[in-house]
Amino acid sequence: QFQLVESGGGLVQPGGSLRLSCVANRRILGMKHMGWYRQAPGKERELVARTTSEGATYYAAAVQGRFTISRDTTKSTMFLQMNSLKAEDTAVYYCNAAGQASIEYEYDIWGQGTQVTVSS
């Protein structure tokens, strides 16, 4: 079973930085895109950043210029570098991978989430 595990969340002061990691328990085959989502209390889950198999990236307007998504394909790991953090970035952050590893196996996998709290 293909699984994703996030880490790196925590408590940080406004203006600080955190780096989230998402590690797959097996090599990711047929990946179409991987991304980071977040969900704040009482709000819908939203896309934060996404990267495709071709290396294209997308960022939500709220994080553009502050967050950077990257991948280490050799280790099936994805990162989210978050700088200049704001209180409104507080949320549970989830990683996601979607693709098709074979004719029979199409996947859309979520990690368990990691809490990021930005507060003084």
Side-chain angles (χ1 to χ4, degrees):
Q1 181 70 23
F2 180 18
Q3 294 180 330
L4 300 173
V5 178
E6 303 100 332
S7 62
L11 173 64
V12 63
Q13 292 186 344
S17 298
L18 282 175
R19 188 189 195 212
L20 305 183
S21 299
C22 173
V23 180
N25 66 337
R26 55 192 292 181
R27 185 174 179 181
I28 302 174
L29 299 177
M31 187 273 287
K32 295 180 181 177
H33 53 80
M34 290 186 72
W36 290 94
Y37 292 71
R38 67 186 181 187
Q39 187 167 19
K43 294 187 177 182
E44 297 286 322
R45 187 174 297 188
E46 63 177 359
L47 176 64
V48 175
R50 173 185 288 176
T51 181
T52 71
S53 58
E54 294 81 18
T57 56
Y58 163 84
Y59 296 93
V63 307
Q64 182 76 47
R66 299 187 298 122
F67 291 11
T68 303
I69 189 171
S70 62
R71 286 182 62 210
D72 180 344
T73 57
T74 62
K75 299 180 180 180
S76 294
T77 304
M78 179 176 64
F79 305 97
L80 185 68
Q81 177 66 43
M82 305 186 295
N83 299 326
S84 302
L85 283 161
K86 306 175 181 179
E88 50 264 42
D89 295 318
T90 295
V92 178
Y93 284 70
Y94 299 90
C95 69
N96 169 263
Q100 187 157 8
S102 68
I103 294 176
E104 298 84 12
Y105 184 52
E106 186 172 1
Y107 58 89
D108 186 359
I109 305 295
W110 293 87
Q112 83 289 349
T114 185
Q115 176 71 47
V116 172
T117 302
V118 184
S119 175
S120 55

